[in-house]
Amino acid sequence: MASAVERTDELVREYLIYRGFSNALKQLDADIKADKDKGFRVDRILEQLQQLVLSFDLAGLREYWAYLEKRLFSRLEDVYRSTVHKLRTSLYRYYVVSTIQRVSPEKTQEFFLKLGPELQGQVEWRDWFVLPFLQAPEQNPLFATYFSRQWADTFLVSLHNFLSVLFQFPPQPILLNFDVEVQRMITVSEENEQLRQMLFALQMDCRDQQEQSLVHHKLPPYEYGPVKEVKPPSPSSQPGAPRHRRIQEHEKERKELFTKPTVQTPEKKGDSEVDSPPLEPSSRAAAQGGAPSLEHPFIKLSQEEYGEHHSSIMHCSCEGKLKMLSVFLWHQVWSFNPMMQTKATIMSKSPLLSLEWATKPDRLLLLGSGVGTVRLYDTDAKKNLYEMNIDEAHPRILSLACSPSGSSFICSAAALSRGGTGEGRRVPVTASGQLLLWDTKTVKQQLRFSLEPEPVAINCTAFNHNGNLLVTGAADGIIRLFDMQRYDCPMSWRAHDGEVYSVEFSYDENTVYSIGEDGKFIQWNIHRCGVRQSEQALAQEATGPFVLSGYSGYKQVQTPRGRLFAFDSEGQHVLTCSSSGGVIHRLTGGESGALEAVLSLGGHRAPVVTVDWCSAVDCGTCLTGSMDGKIKLSTLLASKS
């Protein structure tokens, strides 16, 4: 940090000279000369302290230490208060010992005279008031240690290390981050170049394997003419039996090749690939030599970890500018440009149960709590803009959804569970709930939707691309489709045996996908009420409840709350949860609705409880959050055949 400060000072000085701001330049030089922070250089701070001690300037020493406490130490947590107190005590003892060693008894008496009222109540100074009256204090067992050179060096080194660590972590202005950003950009450029080389090598290997596989599947050209039959070998000619058998198989393959309508030739590789008959999956994989275009539609370029949470992740979400957020009793907003860094940290006295990025502007964040409030938070200004009280009878904000236009948002509020607050658990089916429409600009409630057959807790909500349709999943297992132009519910059907955990529109928005308590992943046709288009049973690790086991029979159970699945930009693949990381499946379609696993992201040691997929940049980004507080950011590259 000290080197960055010095370079920044030189740049500012050069800028002032260029602009001709002579008065500002003189003032800058005067302020730098009188700078008590010494340019954040620890060696200069220690030099200043030692100079005050050697000159017996007790008032200056106390004043400078008080400045350090106000400027630096006051920002520390309470656990470091004792360390600061010990360092101050050692500094005063270092001063007293220096006065005795340099034979200045009047300075020793002055120290105890001025600081006596302050120090006499402290236990560590109780025996030191006798020091001015001892003939040879350096020989006294109580004080001999403090007169040694080893103690003085140990104190100075400890103070140096403490200040060095302190200067590494304070919040820095943007101007001082230029050096770090330059180094990051150099590192990212080098990594990008390495990835390009790796990708080029993979493409070349893939091309070579494809060419080799095509050659292996073709027979050499033959001259057209009558085919002579080869008589089967006699039992007596055993040495030539393998050779004759190979000739027979070869001639049989020739006949099959000549009977096909098209003839493959080595000169027309493109035509041979089009005209060749379709291969079975296993044969196709062999023919392509393990090409990623068929077996692996995505290549995992990198995976980074964000581990500042120390409890289970409840939600994680990414938006257009690739800002991420995760929630428990506190939440953090972090950005990726191009390295992951924390952008905002917000503490909350009550549990945060839901979150949603505002559409316009995208720096705003909606946070729903467990005490009936929704906060509109500005991640750039790092402050709350509004705090809305929803309903005292329904204090649990289970779901938030902002309309694509950004003018309004949906709020799902539910009553408390009968077993208490029920933190970390879903509201039971019998609990009542409300579905409300709020105006983002006026911060007022616009509408309360009618929930038939009875008011029930809504667990999940999702808009379509233009905000005309809203789909919800409730604790009674019913999916409701709302018309946001008429503000009514024209369609609803029972979707799952138990609660609906997560619901999303498909890519073409003609169907809706849902995951429920019964462990099923179902596709519904929104044009035909209650008609299942496909159904797939998922493992418990993908639908919940999620279980984290530990030593001595410890077991933590978490009911799903965040998003359980997310689609890619083309709607052909879906990301789901698992016990060790996210899993990407290919949507095969059809009535069976079978999911074909194509890539396991991995990287987690605890069950993944929520996922998200952002395709705002060329390389897709998968976000997975687990029960141990870890968030994995996986960057994918789509393979093209």
Side-chain angles (χ1 to χ4, degrees):
M1 181 177 179
S3 59
V5 170
E6 291 181 359
R7 285 195 293 270
T8 305
D9 291 343
E10 292 298 329
L11 292 175
V12 174
R13 184 180 286 105
E14 182 181 352
Y15 175 76
L16 294 178
I17 294 174
Y18 173 76
R19 294 296 305 274
F21 297 156
S22 57
N23 294 331
L25 179 62
K26 292 179 181 179
Q27 186 64 37
L28 175 64
D29 292 335
D31 290 341
I32 292 177
K33 187 176 181 180
D35 180 23
K36 292 185 177 181
D37 292 332
K38 306 300 179 182
F40 297 101
R41 289 187 55 176
V42 180
D43 54 343
R44 292 185 179 178
I45 294 178
L46 289 180
E47 182 180 349
Q48 177 68 20
L49 290 173
Q50 287 182 295
Q51 183 179 357
L52 294 173
V53 170
L54 294 178
S55 61
F56 303 126
D57 188 359
L58 180 60
L61 182 65
R62 296 182 63 189
E63 180 184 357
Y64 192 62
W65 185 262
Y67 171 79
L68 293 179
E69 285 189 339
K70 182 179 179 180
R71 179 76 168 84
L72 302 175
F73 305 150
S74 61
R75 303 177 182 180
L76 297 177
E77 299 178 1
D78 294 338
V79 293
Y80 299 106
R81 299 296 182 188
S82 60
T83 303
V84 175
H85 180 73
K86 291 179 181 178
L87 289 175
R88 183 183 62 179
T89 302
S90 299
L91 178 63
Y92 287 167
R93 288 176 176 176
Y94 181 69
Y95 175 84
V96 173
V97 170
S98 298
T99 60
I100 296 177
Q101 287 179 339
R102 299 185 64 184
V103 192
S104 297
E106 65 278 2
K107 296 296 181 180
T108 307
Q109 294 177 2
E110 178 190 7
F111 175 83
F112 286 102
L113 183 63
K114 292 184 176 180
L115 298 183
E118 178 184 347
L119 301 179
Q120 63 182 358
Q122 301 180 14
V123 179
E124 57 268 21
W125 286 98
R126 183 176 54 188
D127 299 331
W128 283 73
F129 286 92
V130 75
L131 191 64
F133 306 100
L134 296 178
Q135 294 295 331
E138 66 275 3
Q139 298 178 2
N140 191 293
L142 291 176
F143 308 104
T145 303
Y146 302 99
F147 285 86
S148 63
R149 182 65 180 175
Q150 181 181 0
W151 180 87
D153 293 341
T154 302
F155 162 67
L156 293 177
V157 170
S158 300
L159 183 58
H160 184 281
N161 294 340
F162 183 77
L163 293 175
S164 299
V165 174
L166 188 62
F167 287 151
Q168 291 179 2
F169 298 100
Q172 299 181 4
I174 299 177
L175 191 60
L176 285 180
N177 286 331
F178 78 96
D179 191 31
V180 178
E181 294 299 328
V182 168
Q183 296 297 328
R184 286 180 178 176
M185 293 305 299
I186 294 175
T187 304
V188 170
S189 300
E190 294 176 352
E191 292 180 355
N192 288 341
E193 184 62 28
Q194 294 178 0
L195 290 174
R196 288 195 203 96
Q197 295 178 1
M198 292 174 58
L199 183 60
F200 179 75
L202 289 173
Q203 290 176 346
M204 294 301 296
D205 293 342
C206 176
R207 187 179 304 172
D208 294 341
Q209 291 176 0
Q210 289 179 350
E211 292 178 356
Q212 292 176 4
S213 62
L214 290 174
V215 172
H216 291 164
H217 281 79
K218 293 179 181 178
L219 297 175
Y222 286 90
E223 296 181 358
Y224 291 93
V227 180
K228 298 181 179 179
E229 293 186 6
V230 180
K231 296 182 179 180
S234 59
S236 59
S237 57
Q238 292 297 332
R243 178 174 178 273
H244 290 293
R245 189 179 300 110
R246 287 197 300 270
I247 292 175
Q248 282 183 322
E249 294 174 354
H250 194 66
E251 293 294 332
K252 183 178 180 181
E253 292 176 354
R254 266 187 73 197
K255 292 179 180 179
E256 293 178 354
L257 181 64
F258 291 153
T259 56
K260 293 179 181 179
T262 59
V263 180
Q264 298 178 351
T265 57
E267 290 77 13
K268 298 182 180 180
K269 295 180 181 179
D271 297 340
S272 64
E273 293 177 0
V274 176
D275 297 335
S276 60
L279 300 175
E280 294 296 329
S282 59
S283 302
R284 186 187 300 115
Q288 296 295 333
S293 60
L294 289 177
E295 291 299 325
H296 302 288
F298 299 98
I299 299 175
K300 185 170 71 172
L301 298 179
S302 64
Q303 186 177 76
E304 300 187 48
E305 179 180 294
Y306 187 82
E308 293 196 16
H309 289 278
H310 304 290
S311 56
S312 178
I313 302 297
M314 302 294 287
H315 287 269
C316 65
S317 175
C318 60
E319 51 97 4
K321 290 187 179 179
L322 206 58
K323 300 174 184 174
M324 285 74 173
L325 181 144
S326 55
V327 169
F328 190 58
L329 292 177
W330 59 294
H331 70 270
Q332 291 188 332
V333 184
W334 44 286
S335 59
F336 186 81
N337 55 348
M339 303 295 290
M340 287 190 295
Q341 58 182 5
T342 302
K343 186 172 183 180
T345 301
I346 306 101
M347 305 297 293
S348 176
K349 296 181 180 179
S350 59
L352 297 173
L353 306 182
S354 55
L355 66 96
E356 174 74 355
W357 284 105
T359 309
K360 297 177 183 179
D362 56 8
R363 71 176 188 276
L364 300 182
L365 186 68
L366 291 168
L367 295 169
S369 70
V371 293
T373 60
V374 174
R375 286 191 286 177
L376 186 62
Y377 183 81
D378 191 329
T379 58
D380 288 347
K382 298 180 177 58
K383 65 178 182 180
N384 291 325
L385 300 182
Y386 300 100
E387 184 168 344
M388 296 153 272
N389 294 316
I390 305 302
D391 187 1
E392 295 181 358
H394 300 85
R396 296 172 56 83
I397 311 302
L398 296 183
S399 179
L400 294 169
C402 189
S403 64
S405 63
S407 60
S408 61
F409 69 91
I410 291 293
C411 174
S412 168
L416 291 173
S417 60
R418 292 184 175 182
T421 58
E423 297 181 5
R425 302 191 302 271
R426 284 283 186 187
V427 179
V429 176
T430 55
S432 63
Q434 291 183 346
L435 189 65
L436 309 174
L437 179 66
W438 280 69
D439 188 282
T440 308
K441 296 181 180 179
T442 62
V443 199
K444 293 182 179 179
Q445 180 180 326
Q446 288 183 316
L447 180 69
R448 184 174 67 180
F449 291 92
S450 175
L451 300 177
E452 298 295 340
E454 60 181 359
V456 68
I458 301 295
N459 292 332
C460 48
T461 55
F463 278 101
N464 69 335
H465 77 285
N466 56 11
N468 291 336
L469 295 178
L470 173 72
V471 63
T472 65
D476 57 1
I478 295 178
I479 291 180
R480 296 171 174 85
L481 191 65
F482 291 89
D483 185 347
M484 297 304 294
Q485 294 179 331
R486 298 167 53 188
Y487 299 115
D488 63 353
C489 179
M491 189 180 301
S492 64
W493 64 91
R494 180 166 297 278
H496 294 274
D497 295 332
E499 303 187 36
V500 180
Y501 286 152
S502 191
V503 63
E504 296 287 342
F505 278 98
S506 63
Y507 176 73
D508 58 6
E509 298 185 352
N510 289 321
T511 60
V512 167
Y513 287 89
S514 64
I515 287 181
E517 188 177 2
D518 53 4
K520 295 180 180 179
F521 180 68
I522 305 177
Q523 180 184 14
W524 304 93
N525 191 326
I526 65 174
H527 302 292
R528 301 173 62 189
C529 181
V531 176
R532 303 189 185 191
Q533 193 159 320
S534 64
E535 179 180 330
Q536 175 72 26
L538 299 178
Q540 181 180 350
E541 62 185 21
T543 62
F546 305 102
V547 180
L548 179 62
S549 301
Y551 296 102
S552 303
Y554 169 79
K555 181 181 292 187
Q556 178 183 351
V557 180
Q558 178 175 328
T559 307
R561 183 164 302 282
R563 180 181 295 181
L564 297 183
F565 63 95
F567 296 104
D568 66 339
S569 59
E570 298 179 356
Q572 298 179 358
H573 298 84
V574 61
L575 173 65
T576 63
C577 304
S578 74
S579 59
S580 59
V583 179
I584 296 179
H585 303 267
R586 180 186 289 111
L587 296 173
T588 58
E591 296 182 357
S592 62
L595 296 178
E596 179 184 355
V598 295
L599 180 62
S600 177
L601 300 180
H604 286 277
R605 297 183 178 180
V608 172
V609 296
T610 179
V611 299
D612 201 2
W613 196 333
C614 179
S615 301
V617 291
D618 294 337
C619 295
T621 303
C622 292
L623 202 62
T624 55
S626 59
M627 293 184 67
D628 59 356
K630 306 297 183 193
I631 296 178
K632 296 289 184 178
L633 181 77
S634 303
T635 303
L636 306 180
L637 177 64
S639 301
K640 296 182 180 180
S641 56

